Amino acid sequence: MREIVIISGKGGTGKTSLTAAFASLAKNSVLCDADVDAADLHLLMQPEVRQRTDFMGGCKAIINKDLCTNCGTCIDLCRFGAISEQFQVDAIRCEGCGVCVDFCPVAAIDFPVQRCGEWYLSETRFGPMVHARLGIGEENSGKLVSLVRKEARQLAEKQGADLIITDGPPGIGCPVIASIGGATVLVIVVEPTVSGIHDMERVVDLAAHFKVPGMVCVNKFDLNIKMTEAIEQLALRRNVAVLGRVSFDPSFTRSMVEGKTLFEYGEPTATWQQVRDIWTHITSSPSMNTLGIVDLKSSIQ
Amino acid sequence: MIISVASGKGGTGKTTISVNMALALGAGVELLDCDVEEPNAHLFLKPVIERSERVEVPVPLVDLKKCTFCRKCSDICRFNALAVVGKKVLVFQELCHSCGGCMAVCPEGAITETGRELGTVNFGARGDIRFINGQLRVGEAMSPPLIKRVRAEADLQLITIIDAPPGTSCPVIAAMNGADFILMVTEPTPFGLHDLKLAVEAVRLLGIPCGLVINRADIGDRKVFDYAESEKLPVLLTIPFDRRIAVAYSQGKNIVDEFPEWRERFGDLFRKIEAIIKDRGEAVSCAK
């Protein structure tokens, strides 16, 4: 089983648009949206949801006013400032640690498990898709990411698909860490800007921790050729393969407005060829060997 | 006055709006970059950094000489950060949420606390503009405690502009909670609109007034404008797509420096926000 995870560090560089374009080129693959906190891939894939499952995350404290003796133990112990002088729990501040629950001398605090979102098994015109929606303002995004990736893997095994294409989240924190562990290869989508290269460097540092092979492509490269070259040089220094360049092309936005991938909108363009070439480079790289064995030689340094 | 600049979708222009508004206002402003996973505001504001502080969160340290291996610590921990195995107590620091439960429950007083490095907070200024950012240590998963730490450094006498992280989960809440106003930066595309709707839901949860900046306003379609109208979200500024702005951004240059006519517009943006905060009664609030 091989899994390509598309990440970027910086948001808005074109991860989802390129993931969707790759999905339309791939054969016999399963799609996975690991950006559970602002998922967008479904807007292009228009999945038909076949199975919907609640995602149960952590617990939140609720004080039972009838039993509470206002002793203040919970307020003293709570390190998150979540309990008011009136013994009301602020659900946004509550970390779900349960310390107040365990130390309440009269057992006046309930600790119900929370529904933190839901996840879906779906069918799309490019094959099956696993995706999710984290509840607004919820925690546990890393857990939900791990869950959708595991489900995607199981689904791929069941259906005899040998490839998973995963759309990753921005940043370098909890959901990104959960997205890249165990990936066959990372595809890093970078824009040629001062912030693009800065954020790429941090995500490359993170990937080096996990010894995952990485490849980079520069999107909207023609906005700043010098910066594009700097990104490619940085990539080579860090043992990250350079996949190619994609032009700044308004047809990405136009196809998005119609809910289509790049290849489903309008007449073939030079951009189509650029993206096709990048896909060929990804699939023919040594890291993508048919056995899906991690290619340590090409891991990020 | 605290204005938090958020978006839902990444790459819509949060940092651009935060930095240019700060530059347009000048003295009496501080910019707090709370996108601690990928902080970028310093690349555009170009502040002089005066000092940096290492930020730690407390994690348990077990004294095995006092420990009786009663397992009360591992039982109370909801995050599986402690495990008692034979005559050993394993502490998984990266899973710890620093709640202090294990230390409070230990009957032998065998648990004290040590620190896990979250990252750094950097302090500086560009001219009269005060600047603080947080930088998450690469490999660290939990950004909210670092975001809260950056916010704790805010000077309440100043106009505080917060550059928030993308998304709609706990890091964004940490960057928005307690603000006087949320400025949502979006773009008129299906992705921009979809993530804006989620972000507005988050703002409503917090009950803070909000308004929109629509960036690259002439790409995509009109649905963001329709949504703003139907939800009575004031559109406070629109910025058309201009390749010259995109190129200047790519080089780390700011709109108000390169295109002086924008200085006044960013000043107006702030004055509109100020008016809404001062006049919350009449103004349209997200908290309906």
Side-chain angles (χ1 to χ4, degrees), chain B residues 8-170:
Chain B
K9 180 175 172 350
T12 58
K14 286 180 295 299
T15 303
T16 302
I17 300 302
S18 307
V19 171
N20 282 284
M21 192 159 69
L23 288 171
L25 296 176
V29 172
E30 63 178 356
L31 178 58
L32 268 51
D33 191 347
C34 286
D35 186 358
V36 301
E37 294 181 41
E38 296 289 20
N40 289 152
H42 64 287
L43 300 170
F44 297 90
L45 190 70
K46 302 178 185 74
V48 177
I49 298 296
E50 289 142 10
R51 64 188 171 93
S52 298
E53 270 176 34
R54 182 182 148 111
V55 178
E56 292 184 344
V57 283
V59 292
L61 184 69
V62 183
D63 182 350
L64 290 179
K65 288 196 199 92
K66 291 184 184 166
C67 178
T68 60
F69 310 99
C70 70
R71 295 174 192 269
K72 287 203 168 103
C73 57
S74 59
D75 289 345
I76 199 174
C77 182
R78 260 78 181 187
F79 309 107
N80 305 315
L82 286 153
V84 180
V85 185
K87 296 279 174 205
K88 268 192 186 147
V89 182
L90 305 178
V91 179
F92 304 103
Q93 288 199 353
E94 68 281 7
L95 298 178
C96 177
H97 286 228
S98 310
C99 69
C102 54
M103 196 166 70
V105 81
C106 179
E108 312 300 329
I111 301 182
T112 52
E113 288 183 321
T114 179
R116 175 182 89 217
E117 187 193 354
L118 272 184
T120 50
V121 180
N122 305 300
F123 300 81
R126 160 153 168 188
D128 294 331
I129 301 169
R130 186 174 183 242
F131 176 79
I132 308 172
N133 79 358
Q135 206 170 12
L136 192 72
R137 177 178 57 83
V138 172
E140 170 62 48
M142 288 178 207
S143 59
L146 183 58
I147 294 169
K148 288 175 189 166
R149 176 59 198 280
V150 173
R151 291 199 51 189
E153 301 291 342
D155 180 345
L156 298 177
Q157 304 303 312
L158 300 174
I159 296 162
T160 305
I161 299 172
I162 294 175
D163 190 1
T168 61
S169 63
C170 46

Side-chain angles (χ1 to χ4, degrees), chain A residues 37 40 95 172-173 195 199, chain B residues 37 40 97 113 168-169 195 249:
Chain A
D37 131 18
D40 286 331
E95 187 83 4
I172 62 163
S195 39
D199 295 356
Chain B
E37 294 181 41
N40 289 152
H97 286 228
E113 288 183 321
T168 61
S169 63
D195 296 353
Y249 172 89

Side-chain angles (χ1 to χ4, degrees), chain A residues 224-238:
Chain A
N224 191 330
I225 306 274
K226 261 194 192 155
M227 192 65 79
T228 296
E229 286 165 357
I231 288 165
E232 290 169 349
Q233 281 157 15
L234 169 66
L236 294 175
R237 280 201 301 280
R238 302 298 298 268

